Amino acid sequence: MMRFMLLFSRQGKLRLQKWYVAISERDKKKLVRDLMQTVLSRKPKMCSFLEWKDFKVVYKRYASLYFCCAVEDQDNELLTLELIHRYVELLDKYFGSVCELDIIFNFEKAYFILDEFLMGGEIQDTSKKSVLKAIEQSDMLQEEDESPRSVLEEMGLA
């Protein structure tokens, strides 16, 4: 089971965090700071897996963002790496070549895509098509809610 997922920039700016275990805010901040420092200090040719504290950490850099997951010791590192890649593919499909600014300005969509893909730290759906279809349906519902309506429609008279 995944413990948490972090997205952060090369400069050490946290862009997205999703926790699947209960940890105090103070401990979260310390874990995030220590893990970012550890990952950012590693050389590009080094392995993307590391044993860190009581977690197994898997990370991958895409452009200027690091996607970093902490999983339990018995979990498969390659499956976690594939999970990261699938999430990046979903972001790419939705945003059309995702970049750091897409995550910054549309973080609620990035969280929504992650929640459609993972639930409780476990893979919810492996199909990119079904995840993207759920996201499209959510977007359509949101557009319907935001579309202007007349006063008569608001009162149920039209």
Side-chain angles (χ1 to χ4, degrees):
M1 182 183 121
M2 186 179 300
R3 300 297 184 103
F4 59 86
M5 180 181 240
L6 304 175
L7 271 69
F8 54 90
S9 68
R10 288 187 315 203
Q11 293 78 28
K13 302 277 187 191
L14 188 63
R15 298 302 182 200
L16 183 132
Q17 61 179 331
K18 185 71 174 184
W19 295 83
Y20 298 105
V21 291
I23 300 176
S24 70
E25 285 299 316
R26 194 171 132 235
D27 291 340
K28 282 181 188 178
K29 287 180 182 176
K30 185 174 179 357
L31 279 172
V32 168
R33 186 178 58 244
D34 292 347
L35 183 58
M36 281 196 303
Q37 188 176 20
T38 302
V39 169
L40 290 172
S41 67
R42 292 174 61 89
K43 304 259 187 279
K45 297 279 184 190
M46 292 177 87
C47 181
S48 293
F49 313 137
L50 63 124
E51 300 282 330
W52 183 76
K53 301 201 182 214
D54 55 345
F55 304 117
K56 191 182 292 184
V57 175
V58 179
Y59 68 92
K60 179 87 170 122
R61 181 176 159 201
Y62 290 92
S64 64
L65 282 176
Y66 283 91
F67 291 75
C68 184
C69 294
V71 294
E72 295 174 352
D73 284 335
Q74 66 271 15
D75 285 343
N76 186 335
E77 300 95 341
L78 295 175
L79 183 64
T80 307
L81 198 58
E82 181 62 29
L83 186 139
I84 291 171
H85 186 69
R86 179 61 54 105
Y87 181 53
V88 172
E89 286 179 330
L90 287 167
L91 290 172
D92 263 347
K93 287 271 190 202
Y94 184 78
F95 291 112
S97 188
V98 69
C99 67
E100 189 174 351
L101 289 175
D102 291 324
I103 303 295
I104 293 169
F105 292 116
N106 300 297
F107 65 91
E108 65 283 341
K109 281 295 172 195
Y111 276 114
F112 185 76
I113 293 169
L114 185 60
D115 289 340
E116 281 295 318
F117 180 51
L118 293 174
M119 182 179 280
E122 299 289 338
I123 297 174
Q124 165 101 1
D125 196 347
T126 57
S127 169
K128 285 188 278 189
K129 286 182 181 179
S130 65
V131 171
L132 290 169
K133 185 176 180 183
I135 294 163
E136 283 177 23
Q137 289 173 342
S138 170
D139 285 347
M140 289 173 61
L141 282 173
Q142 189 175 7
E143 287 173 13
E144 286 176 14
D145 287 347
E146 293 174 355
S147 63
R149 296 189 292 184
S150 70
V151 175
L152 293 176
E153 286 177 326
E154 291 285 336
M155 295 173 24
L157 299 173

